[in-house]
Each structure stands twice: as structure tokens, then as C-alpha cells.
């Protein structure tokens, strides 16, 4: 994931869709940066939970 900038301001994000194998670009009027649980951004776990 990369934050897209224009004239020193965040204007969106670019990322990679792991299900389709395509790059995506999202433009936005506001961008919120957050951290945590990045391991759960769409990839399924390979082992079963008990």
C-alpha cells in the first residue's frame, strides 16, 4: 500500500488486490492512516483455529 500525494497532500492510496492479482488506485478527499492487524487485510489464514 502506498499513499498517493499531490502538492504535498495525501489524495488517495494505491494497493494490490491479492484475490484478482491487480493493482488498484483509490482517490479520496480524506485519507486516514491506521496501524494494527495488517495480517488480516484479506489474506485467509492457512491453519485452522481451535
Amino acid at each position: 500500500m502506498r499513499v498517493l500525494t499531490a502538492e504535498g497532500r495525501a489524495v488517495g492510496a494505491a494497493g494490490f488486490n491479492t484475490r484478482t492479482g491487480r493493482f488498484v488506485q483509490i482517490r479520496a478527499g480524506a485519507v486516514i492512516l491506521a496501524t494494527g492487524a495488517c495480517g488480516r487485510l484479506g489474506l485467509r489464514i492457512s491453519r485452522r483455529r481451535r
Side-chain angles (χ1 to χ4, degrees):
M1 168 98 77
R2 294 206 183 247
V3 176
L4 301 176
T5 60
E7 299 178 13
R9 298 187 62 191
V11 294
F16 183 73
N17 185 326
T18 58
R19 293 188 178 158
T20 64
R22 301 179 95 180
F23 287 97
V24 294
Q25 185 179 63
I26 304 164
R27 295 191 179 267
V31 176
I32 299 172
L33 299 177
T35 62
C38 68
R40 294 185 176 188
L41 287 176
L43 298 176
R44 295 184 179 175
I45 59 173
S46 60
R47 62 185 173 97
R48 274 186 104 122
R49 292 185 185 184
R50 293 181 185 211

